[in-house]
Amino acid sequence: MAVEIIGSTAGAGSFVLDLVRCLAAPIGRPFKYLWNYNTNFINLEKEVDKLKDARVKVQRKVDAAINNVEEIEETVEKWQKDVDSIIGEAEQLIQEKANNPHCFKGLCPNWITHYKHSKKAFKLKENDISLELDKESEVADKANKLYARLKMSKKDEKGMRPVKILLILDNIWKDLDLTTVGIPSGDDRGGCKLLLTTRVRDVLDRMGSTNNFKMGTLNDEEAWNLFQKMAVMALLQDLSYGLM
């Protein structure tokens, strides 16, 4: 009989323990959001700053594409709208936190509001913002076709290798912001090489140009020979059009 009683008691104890475990998970979740209230908002603000930086980078490439008379894809415009909406929602939530009401004449926080705000801050960071940040690189390439082409790679027997492209920027008179034009930075340029020509040496120095070569002017004989060659080429071209 004693053994049976002990067995029954052990069984009851196991049942109670299982019941506590089942109840602990749903009860613990609200406390998790309350406990990490400030941490969730700190993390949210950091991620919002990252998303704002990503928005600026993509907008620069969109502006460069517009300057290059490129058509902006709908997916890029949708990403921008989604990002604006998420940033607006997050900033509103952060402002609500600052204005969070208190109970008992300000002696303690409103726990229900804290829970709701903390949970929403966590969800915004983990789901919405992370998703849009992951899309940034793909969206940037779609935003500016020139930028994407200069970053292209091709696969050969040695693996992935950057496509070698020579880009010539002729007759530059002042400093040029390559990002505005849609040209990747030096570390992100892959196999792209830039050839700059200018009559102002200081422009090359300020743009960080290397391997600079000075070219003199043509003398009278060289200029005349060049003119003759160009004139003959133009004449032959006109004649070829006439025979077609």
Side-chain angles (χ1 to χ4, degrees):
M1 177 65 72
V3 174
E4 292 180 0
I5 295 175
I6 293 174
S8 300
T9 304
S14 176
F15 171 77
V16 172
L17 182 60
D18 290 340
L19 180 61
V20 170
R21 286 174 178 172
C22 292
L23 294 176
I27 292 175
R29 281 193 288 268
F31 285 103
K32 178 187 72 172
Y33 292 124
L34 290 173
W35 181 264
N36 296 319
Y37 177 74
N38 289 322
T39 300
N40 285 341
F41 271 93
I42 291 173
N43 292 336
L44 176 63
E45 291 177 3
K46 290 180 180 179
E47 293 301 298
V48 168
D49 289 339
K50 290 181 183 179
L51 192 58
K52 287 181 178 180
D53 291 340
R55 180 177 62 178
V56 170
K57 292 178 183 178
V58 171
Q59 185 59 50
R60 286 175 180 170
K61 293 176 177 57
V62 168
D63 293 340
I66 294 174
N67 292 335
N68 295 333
V69 199
E70 294 185 20
E71 184 177 354
I72 308 301
E73 293 189 14
E74 292 183 2
T75 53
V76 177
E77 296 178 345
K78 182 180 183 305
W79 182 87
Q80 290 179 301
K81 291 179 180 178
D82 291 343
V83 166
D84 288 342
S85 176
I86 292 172
I87 291 176
E89 185 177 1
E91 289 182 335
Q92 181 180 354
L93 181 63
I94 293 171
Q95 185 60 45
E96 289 178 2
K97 173 185 178 293
N99 299 331
N100 184 29
H102 289 68
C103 63
F104 299 115
K105 299 181 180 180
L107 295 179
C108 70
N110 187 322
W111 299 116
I112 296 177
T113 303
H114 269 208
Y115 164 75
K116 291 181 178 179
H117 284 179
S118 182
K119 181 178 179 180
K120 189 173 183 180
F122 180 82
K123 299 288 186 182
L124 272 174
K125 171 190 173 294
E126 291 296 322
N127 298 336
D128 300 334
I129 297 181
S130 295
L131 177 63
E132 300 306 328
L133 286 174
D134 289 341
K135 294 179 181 178
E136 178 196 348
S137 179
E138 179 184 355
V139 171
D141 288 343
K142 289 183 178 180
N144 192 296
K145 300 297 190 301
L146 173 62
Y147 182 87
R149 285 196 295 270
L150 296 180
K151 290 178 57 181
M152 280 194 308
S153 299
K154 62 181 179 180
K155 188 174 184 179
D156 56 18
E157 64 278 1
K158 296 182 180 180
M160 295 299 295
R161 310 184 73 179
V163 176
K164 295 183 178 180
I165 299 175
L166 175 62
L167 187 63
I168 301 176
L169 303 178
D170 188 31
N171 199 21
I172 300 175
W173 285 89
K174 60 182 180 179
D175 300 7
L176 181 63
D177 184 359
L178 299 179
T179 302
T180 301
V181 181
I183 300 175
S185 63
D187 296 335
D188 198 22
R189 196 170 291 143
C192 173
K193 298 293 183 181
L194 294 179
L195 174 61
L196 312 176
T197 69
T198 182
R199 299 181 184 182
V200 185
R201 174 60 184 269
D202 291 344
V203 171
L204 298 179
D205 295 335
R206 290 193 295 269
M207 292 185 64
S209 175
T210 58
N211 301 325
N212 297 327
F213 300 94
K214 183 177 180 180
M215 300 182 64
T217 57
L218 300 176
N219 57 39
D220 291 344
E221 182 179 356
E222 292 171 333
W224 176 246
N225 289 335
L226 178 61
F227 172 77
Q228 287 179 313
K229 290 179 181 179
M230 297 299 294
V232 170
M233 290 177 60
L235 178 61
L236 291 175
Q237 189 176 28
D238 289 343
L239 289 175
S240 64
Y241 283 142
L243 294 175
M244 291 178 63

